[in-house]
Amino acid sequence: MSGQLVSFFPNPARNIVYLALHPGLQAEGFKINLTDLAGRIVREVQLKSGRELHEMSLNGILPGFYVISIVGSQRVISGSIYIY
């Protein structure tokens, strides 16, 4: 994932994943999508504006590799995450 704009941790993750946004990146209108390797969105969370640290619960998500994406009106930043 673009380390300068967004970082997420821990990876691998179990119950929760945290996403830290660069201070200059506005979260308003952004959402986090967790997508399985078949392309299905299995979790979606709307980001709260005014915060640099966001969290996504992984409860109920089956173990495996996923694509985690930060989706905004003009950009998408994606990376992979392993959930165990």
Side-chain angles (χ1 to χ4, degrees):
M1 195 171 260
S2 298
Q4 296 170 344
L5 294 178
V6 177
S7 60
F8 62 93
F9 54 92
N11 190 10
R14 185 172 190 151
N15 297 318
I16 198 163
V17 64
Y18 296 94
L19 290 99
L21 300 181
H22 183 277
L25 188 63
Q26 299 295 320
E28 189 171 328
F30 280 62
K31 62 184 175 181
I32 307 168
N33 285 344
L34 187 65
T35 308
D36 66 16
L37 295 182
R40 295 179 296 249
I41 295 175
V42 296
R43 182 76 34 96
E44 184 175 275
V45 174
Q46 192 72 34
L47 297 185
K48 296 179 176 124
S49 61
R51 295 178 56 191
E52 293 175 15
L53 185 63
H54 303 270
E55 59 185 58
M56 173 186 274
S57 169
L58 301 175
N59 291 334
I61 303 294
L62 296 175
F65 284 98
Y66 292 85
V67 175
I68 189 165
S69 302
I70 311 303
V71 181
S73 61
Q74 297 181 4
R75 82 171 62 205
V76 176
I77 304 168
S78 298
S80 60
I81 187 168
Y82 180 73
I83 298 171
Y84 66 96

